[in-house]
Amino acid sequence: MIKKEMIAMLLAGGQGSRLGVLTQKVAKPAVSFGGKYRIIDFPLSNCINSGVDTVGVLTQYQPLRLNTHIGIGIPWDLDRNVGGVTILPPYERSKGSDWYTGTANAIYQNLEYMESYNPEYVLILSGDHIYKMDYEVMLDYHKANNADITIAAMPVPIEEASRFGILITDESNRIMEFEEKPPAPRSNLASMGIYIFSWPVLKEALIKMKDEPGCDFGKHIIPYCHARGDREFAYEYNGYWKDVGTLGSYWEANMELIDIIPEFNLYEEYWKIYTKSDVIPPQYISPDASIERSIIGEGTEVYGEVKNSVIGAGVTIGEGAVVRDSIIMQGTAIGAGTVVDKAIIAEHVVVGSGVELGVGEYAESTYAPKVYQFDLVTIGENSVIPDGVKVGKNTAIAGETEASDYPDGLLASGNYIIKAGGVK
């Protein structure tokens, strides 16, 4: 039996439905971020930077792009004979097949994988947050407190606290009470969904709660361990951490990268974020192009104007085109004379010439108001926007659209066009 002090289990199977058409064909952890990265690069890079060299990645929803991106883990130095990265999809057992039904259920279904390393500690991570954290420091804290469970936590604005698991602690940071998404929170110390368990404690709890429908850490495992009297501590984190679970927070987190002094610095020498890099040519910026405060990916050709935007690799921005306050992912083409204002455009989209995105006044979404509640134009991957049309704010487009899909050449604010295969 191989012995590892701490292994990581990275939950990357989420659909990320609040990202709307961006996650129609791809799991949230595989969504592009910062022009060059995918969201899962951040926890994977944190693992290797923290000396955690054994990572199980639990996938479920639309895993193809995630699996291709991770491969055998070379960019993160996780291509190892002992340990390294392992993709863990749900699989069929003798008594039938089980999808992962909750965060803890997914971990329970991989008990065998964890047992093969006989770890002392198991680190549970989510695959959809943007942050840098040294898990080794958190492990030292766990050991110093002789803890059974340590939960990474950070203060959040009290008005947002009901979205999180909330911790109430004593002066030694021991957790006295834990409430999952309480309607009236009594504290603003929120769980970040990052846990270190002492292995025997985790194993016993998972086996005990295995028949709980949709077994989840926040709803079931943590309360069960708490009721049993386990030593649970909060590890307070004060760095940058962003849950990019909504279109608004995803857009904001990207925009923060281009601040003059970015709150989240991608350029630190001692804590690099690693990613799978394709072999592509350098950028080409034409003599007539103008770029202000933007990130421009490799292989991108700019013939127009780019302001306050994050542009991925292999994007083409045509002559006379203007892109402002927007995120454009890799392989997308913006036609000549097109104006893009506050949009998120996914990978391999073709936007025709003379198009205007983000016109008029904000209106509530007629499609999915809980998802689309920001003044953003959101376009799903492989979509096509015909020449000369106008698109209002807070809109969603997915699929190959034609001029006839736009009444009087306009998709009004709050409306949507979702062609075959589109989902909310």
Side-chain angles (χ1 to χ4, degrees), residues 256-267:
E256 282 168 358
L257 298 175
I258 51 175
D259 285 344
I260 301 301
I261 300 170
E263 197 180 337
F264 185 71
N265 187 352
L266 286 170
Y267 309 103

Coordinates of all heavy atoms in Angstrom, one line a residue, residues 256-267:
E256 N -11.4 42.3 -12.8 CA -10.4 42.6 -11.8 C -9.0 42.3 -12.2 O -8.0 42.9 -11.6 CB -10.8 41.9 -10.5 CG -11.9 42.6 -9.8 CD -12.6 41.7 -8.6 OE1 -12.1 40.6 -8.4 OE2 -13.5 42.2 -8.0
L257 N -8.8 41.4 -13.1 CA -7.4 41.1 -13.6 C -6.8 42.2 -14.3 O -5.5 42.2 -14.4 CB -7.5 39.8 -14.5 CG -8.0 38.6 -13.9 CD1 -8.1 37.5 -15.0 CD2 -7.1 38.1 -12.8
I258 N -7.6 43.1 -14.9 CA -7.0 44.2 -15.7 C -6.9 45.5 -14.9 O -6.6 46.6 -15.5 CB -7.7 44.4 -17.0 CG1 -9.2 44.5 -16.8 CG2 -7.4 43.2 -18.0 CD1 -10.0 44.8 -18.1
D259 N -7.2 45.5 -13.6 CA -7.0 46.8 -12.8 C -5.5 47.1 -12.9 O -4.7 46.3 -13.0 CB -7.4 46.5 -11.4 CG -9.0 46.5 -11.2 OD1 -9.6 47.0 -12.2 OD2 -9.5 46.0 -10.2
I260 N -5.2 48.4 -12.7 CA -3.9 48.9 -12.7 C -3.0 48.1 -11.7 O -1.9 47.6 -12.0 CB -3.8 50.4 -12.4 CG1 -4.6 51.2 -13.5 CG2 -2.3 50.9 -12.4 CD1 -4.2 51.0 -14.9
I261 N -3.6 48.0 -10.5 CA -3.0 47.1 -9.5 C -4.0 46.0 -9.2 O -4.9 46.2 -8.4 CB -2.6 47.9 -8.2 CG1 -1.6 49.0 -8.5 CG2 -2.0 46.9 -7.2 CD1 -1.4 49.9 -7.4
P262 N -3.9 44.9 -9.9 CA -5.0 43.9 -9.8 C -5.0 43.3 -8.4 O -4.0 43.0 -7.7 CB -4.6 42.8 -10.8 CG -3.2 43.0 -11.1 CD -2.8 44.4 -10.8
E263 N -6.3 43.1 -7.9 CA -6.5 42.6 -6.6 C -6.0 41.1 -6.6 O -5.5 40.6 -5.6 CB -8.0 42.6 -6.2 CG -8.3 42.5 -4.8 CD -9.8 42.5 -4.5 OE1 -10.5 43.1 -5.3 OE2 -10.2 42.0 -3.5
F264 N -6.2 40.5 -7.7 CA -5.7 39.1 -7.8 C -4.6 39.1 -8.9 O -4.8 39.3 -10.0 CB -6.9 38.2 -8.3 CG -6.5 36.7 -8.3 CD1 -6.3 36.0 -7.2 CD2 -6.4 36.1 -9.5 CE1 -6.0 34.7 -7.2 CE2 -6.0 34.7 -9.6 CZ -5.8 34.0 -8.4
N265 N -3.4 38.8 -8.4 CA -2.2 38.9 -9.3 C -1.8 37.6 -9.9 O -1.4 36.6 -9.2 CB -1.1 39.5 -8.5 CG 0.1 39.8 -9.3 OD1 0.2 39.5 -10.5 ND2 1.1 40.5 -8.7
L266 N -2.0 37.5 -11.3 CA -1.6 36.3 -12.0 C -0.1 36.2 -12.2 O 0.4 35.2 -12.8 CB -2.3 36.2 -13.3 CG -3.8 35.9 -13.3 CD1 -4.4 36.2 -14.6 CD2 -4.1 34.5 -12.8
Y267 N 0.6 37.2 -11.9 CA 2.0 37.3 -12.4 C 3.1 37.1 -11.3 O 4.2 37.3 -11.4 CB 2.3 38.7 -13.0 CG 1.2 39.0 -14.0 CD1 0.2 39.9 -13.8 CD2 1.2 38.3 -15.3 CE1 -0.8 40.1 -14.7 CE2 0.2 38.5 -16.2 CZ -0.8 39.4 -15.9 OH -1.8 39.6 -16.8

